[in-house]
Amino acid sequence: MIRYLSVIALCSLLNACGNGPILMLPGGELQGTVVDQPVSDWSFLEAQFVHLETDPNEPYSVELNYIVREGQLFIDPAEGKVWLDNLRANPNARVRFGEMIYPVRATLVGQPGELDGFGSDRFIYRLDYRTP
């Protein structure tokens, strides 16, 4: 009985959160309000994590850390991640902060060990706003 209730509780939690990621579990298409105003300075961000959605044909979303430097938004994926493979195949993605979704394009700006302040085993991608 406890196992049954746990499964129901988990399903309810997953449903309540939409199709986005939950902690370490990947999700699908992000739900929220799409921002159609260009963003050139990401310094306003205060969230601890970003939700990143890749592969518009089969949306795949994850929760991860991000870095804002001089107003630009960066992520630093490690090799072997599904979403990194997705970005390499199609750099158009979406990010969600709170309920706001921003269409972005990922641009590789650094190989592992090239940029100070990022892990020596990490690729560095800048995420730039793109028109939806």
Side-chain angles (χ1 to χ4, degrees):
M1 180 66 165
I2 291 176
R3 178 181 251 174
Y4 177 74
L5 292 175
S6 296
V7 169
I8 289 175
L10 179 61
C11 289
S12 296
L13 175 64
L14 293 174
N15 226 7
C17 294
N19 291 326
I22 299 175
L23 301 174
M24 302 299 289
L25 301 174
E29 184 177 7
L30 296 176
Q31 304 298 313
T33 303
V34 176
V35 176
D36 60 1
Q37 297 298 311
V39 176
S40 58
D41 185 344
W42 296 93
S43 297
F44 66 92
L45 296 176
E46 296 179 357
Q48 184 175 0
F49 300 103
V50 61
H51 288 166
L52 172 75
E53 175 191 304
T54 61
D55 192 357
N57 296 323
E58 291 184 41
Y60 182 90
S61 59
V62 293
E63 180 177 274
L64 45 107
N65 292 315
Y66 66 92
I67 297 170
V68 174
R69 270 199 192 159
E70 297 177 11
Q72 296 186 319
L73 178 60
F74 297 92
I75 55 172
D76 58 344
E79 192 65 58
K81 302 291 185 187
V82 170
W83 57 272
L84 175 56
D85 293 340
N86 290 347
L87 280 180
R88 287 176 172 154
N90 182 348
N92 291 332
R94 301 188 323 154
V95 292
R96 179 174 67 189
F97 294 95
E99 294 300 315
M100 307 308 287
I101 296 175
Y102 301 85
V104 295
R105 181 169 181 85
T107 303
L108 179 66
V109 294
Q111 299 289 330
E114 284 185 345
L115 297 176
D116 290 337
F118 294 95
S120 62
D121 63 336
R122 302 295 184 121
F123 293 89
I124 313 304
Y125 281 83
R126 187 183 66 235
L127 301 178
D128 298 310
Y129 182 87
R130 66 176 170 82
T131 304

